[in-house]
Amino acid sequence: MARYTDPVCRICRREGLKLFLKGSRCYSKKCSFERRSTPPGMNPTRRRKVSEFGLQMREKQRVRRSYSVLERQFRNYFRDAERQRGMTGENLLRLLEMRLDNVVFRMGFASSRAQARQLVTHGHFSINGRATKSPSYQTSVGDRIEVRDTRRSRAFFQTAPETMRAAQVPDWVSNDPSKLSGTILAQPTREQMPMEFNEQLVVEYYSR
């Protein structure tokens, strides 16, 4: 499975936006973006004027990198969003939010999407009683995600209840720290999805 393996702090600096890719570190004084927000490279200067295409591409990259999705997969998500009823940009964000790795992150099992992705690929979770290792699995309303019985004794999950209680869980999911589980209550609305993204620019990028 292909994935980005270079320093993720460079991504935030390149996009000029904190994408919270390293979990709790992003909220501390150690955050690289806070200490040095200029783009990476020998001459970290920003162009004063960016073309319309440049704005569209940058926004597409911000969304794609925030959810740790590769280009081809992101394009497929956009095509699926176009086929659905409603606004394409909102449908796109909803598809990304309903990915299993993002749901695990939203429920508070992990401090970042990267950590959630790793937990899923290692087979720690089951959906409605069935184990899965696919981070891109599209969850549905009513799905119950929980830590498998054979994995609950792991050291990581011994402290997971505290992490789940401290997490800011959105209204469209619920979590039960005592049972190391969570349930998808509804599909997220636009107000419940990241507001720092301008999904219309992404739609315009792929509609050229």
Side-chain angles (χ1 to χ4, degrees):
M1 181 178 0
R3 63 188 180 93
Y4 181 86
T5 58
D6 291 335
V8 294
C9 291
R10 292 174 59 90
I11 295 178
C12 296
R13 291 175 56 199
R14 176 64 187 88
E15 302 304 333
L17 177 69
K18 186 186 288 191
L19 300 177
F20 300 96
L21 300 176
K22 298 200 74 172
S24 58
R25 182 186 176 94
C26 298
Y27 297 93
S28 68
K29 295 180 180 179
K30 296 182 179 180
C31 176
S32 298
F33 184 81
E34 294 290 345
R35 293 186 297 172
R36 188 181 180 188
S37 59
T38 55
M42 293 292 291
N43 299 303
T45 57
R46 296 190 184 278
R47 293 174 57 187
R48 293 183 179 181
K49 186 176 180 180
V50 182
S51 66
E52 183 178 352
F53 170 77
L55 290 173
Q56 296 167 357
M57 185 183 70
R58 284 269 63 83
E59 195 64 24
K60 185 265 295 183
Q61 292 291 77
R62 287 175 178 175
V63 177
R64 183 180 70 80
R65 288 171 167 172
S66 179
Y67 288 94
S68 300
V69 177
L70 297 179
E71 179 61 40
R72 179 179 295 181
Q73 192 174 16
F74 190 79
R75 191 184 304 115
N76 289 337
Y77 276 123
F78 181 81
R79 290 171 179 169
D80 291 340
E82 279 187 310
R83 299 189 189 102
Q84 297 179 359
R85 293 183 178 180
M87 301 187 68
T88 301
E90 187 174 327
N91 292 339
L92 173 63
L93 291 181
R94 187 174 294 110
L95 286 171
L96 294 170
E97 282 288 312
M98 296 293 281
R99 282 171 53 98
L100 178 58
D101 55 356
N102 183 75
V103 171
V104 168
F105 165 64
R106 294 297 188 197
M107 289 181 175
F109 287 106
S111 60
S112 67
R113 290 188 181 90
Q115 187 180 52
R117 179 189 180 101
Q118 186 179 46
L119 292 174
V120 172
T121 55
H122 287 183
H124 294 308
F125 292 94
S126 64
I127 302 177
N128 300 326
R130 297 186 61 181
T132 180
K133 295 183 178 181
S134 175
S136 62
Y137 179 91
Q138 277 292 305
T139 58
S140 304
V141 176
D143 282 351
R144 178 182 173 85
I145 290 88
E146 59 185 344
V147 179
R148 297 171 61 190
D149 292 337
T150 56
R151 309 299 175 95
R152 292 172 181 253
S153 60
R154 304 289 178 92
F156 178 86
F157 294 111
Q158 295 299 309
T159 59
E162 299 178 6
T163 306
M164 295 175 70
R165 293 188 185 97
Q168 296 181 352
V169 181
D171 295 336
W172 57 278
V173 297
S174 66
N175 68 3
D176 188 343
S178 62
K179 296 182 180 179
L180 291 178
S181 65
T183 304
I184 300 178
L185 304 177
Q187 290 190 342
T189 63
R190 182 62 189 93
E191 292 73 22
Q192 295 170 324
M193 295 185 282
M195 300 301 294
E196 64 268 23
F197 296 136
N198 186 347
E199 66 275 13
Q200 184 57 34
L201 290 177
V202 182
V203 175
E204 293 172 1
Y205 174 84
Y206 284 113
S207 300
R208 291 176 292 112

